[in-house]
Amino acid sequence: MDTHIGQDLAHAAELLLKGELVAIPTETVYGLAGNGLDEEAVLRIYDAKQRPRFNPLILHVADMKQLADFATEIPEQCYRLAEAFSPGPITFLLQKKSIVPDIVTAGSDMVALRIPDHPMTLQLLRMIQLPLAAPSANPFGYVSPVTAQHVFQSLQGRVAYILDGGPCSVGLESTIVGFQDGGLVIHRMGGIAVEEIKRVAACPIIINVSSSRPVTPGQLSSHYAPHAPLWMGDIDSLRQVHVGKKMAIISFSRKYRNPEPTYSFVLSPEGDLHEAARNLFSVLRSIDSLGVDIILAERLPEVGLGRAINDRLHRAQVLHKI
Ligand code: TXA
Ligand code: MG
């Protein structure tokens, strides 16, 4: 299959209506989309990503009204969060309606619904009048793509068309929120910070992002991993341990002086967590193309988007320990 990159919404819509896959831009990361009500299209998504079938997909919809098309009960708290953050980097875990194929939810009676904040994808959703099932458009376990070129590099030949909507403005996947016993459960740290949710929610909040027994199977630890082993911690001490290796250093705002053959990547010289989030996945991908022996990463401040960035770096690290 030839893979083309472009901005032709009518072409993208036509492919999706035929059951083919299209990579779509969102504000978080690019998604690998198929008609969420077409089982065969959804199966194609799992195959193209080589993703295990037990790991369910998010359904993307055009607006808040459509949440009720696919979920049976929508708690008041969900509307409250949707009013505040949707369209945006937040996903709601709700009881599914039977119209949602089991293959989308991997057999679960819960469905993950999200209204993405990207003008092209919102227009596409309105054109096709269907929900789009879309995981991040990367091979299973690898770093999520934040440009159309990233998608092309890793899924060329596996997707018919890549809609190019420019670089993603958030750069981290959505925050996944569930509703339980009148409270909120955060299942994945993401583009909406916990502090922001706290400001809006009028109920208790539990954070449940464990990687050993995740409610969202995508929280398995072997995620977001670059090819080179990654170690997180104090850079000066880690450097001593790994002296002599060809290494890349990822830091928040401090520039580490680098005697060759070290490469140094600063996520945000100004110390801005949003900028750091936007740069993270591109930096991980560029490091992979350098062929380093090892990646050393600083822990970012555990506030705002810093938590989600630390979560991704931590998961990238764990893979190489087991
Ligand atoms: O920002 C995002 O959320 C991006 C863009 C493309 O929307 N999508 C994304 O999808 O990150 P994916 O498939 O890479 O991650 C979705 C996560 C996985 O951890 C999956 O296990 C969880 O959502 N998930 C999806 N449906 C679920 C369900 N019914 N129950 C529990 N977890 C679910
Ligand atoms: Mg993913």
Side-chain angles (χ1 to χ4, degrees), residues 29 49 51 55 135-138 141-142 144 173 188 218 223-224:
V29 301
K49 258 192 83 112
R51 171 166 172 134
N55 192 359
S136 51
N138 48 280
Y142 192 56
S144 296
E173 299 85 350
R188 177 173 72 180
H223 255 69
Y224 313 106

Side-chain angles (χ1 to χ4, degrees), residues 16-19 35-44 101 103:
L16 289 165
L17 292 169
K18 280 198 304 200
N35 174 354
L37 301 183
D38 174 347
E39 292 189 13
E40 280 179 28
V42 175
L43 279 171
R44 262 185 214 129
I103 181 79

